[in-house]
Amino acid sequence: QAPFALLGVNCDPDPQAMRHTQARFGHQFPSIWDAPPAPICSAWRVEGLPTIILLDRAGKVRFRRVGEVPLSTLETAIGQL
């Protein structure tokens, strides 16, 4: 079993904008378009973009950060899952 899964939740105004964002940043992971009024982002209290949330296998939040996150910080957080 993989140590983690990556899933994006995108709150661009429409699916075309979401595809543009994915292409612009080279995202190669699955992403869900959270159509306005963005119930997923609301439920997870996303207040800025990007918001990175790492969950452990039990679904407990182990890392949460708003804004750019250095790769080394993400690698450390993933290694602690």
Side-chain angles (χ1 to χ4, degrees):
Q1 187 174 20
F4 70 94
L6 183 60
L7 173 67
V9 177
N10 186 293
C11 56
D12 277 323
D14 58 65
Q16 184 175 348
M18 177 185 84
R19 287 188 291 277
H20 175 74
T21 297
Q22 289 175 312
R24 179 177 167 212
F25 291 104
H27 295 167
Q28 296 183 13
F29 50 83
S31 190
I32 298 168
W33 178 53
D34 192 19
I40 297 169
C41 290
S42 294
W44 284 91
R45 298 179 337 268
V46 172
E47 298 172 354
L49 299 174
T51 296
I52 307 294
I53 303 169
L54 294 180
L55 309 174
D56 65 16
R57 290 178 192 235
K60 184 173 180 178
V61 175
R62 296 294 184 175
F63 178 90
R64 181 183 183 96
R65 184 79 50 92
V66 177
E68 296 289 326
V69 178
L71 182 57
S72 61
T73 301
L74 279 177
E75 288 172 339
T76 298
I78 290 167
Q80 294 173 350
L81 291 177

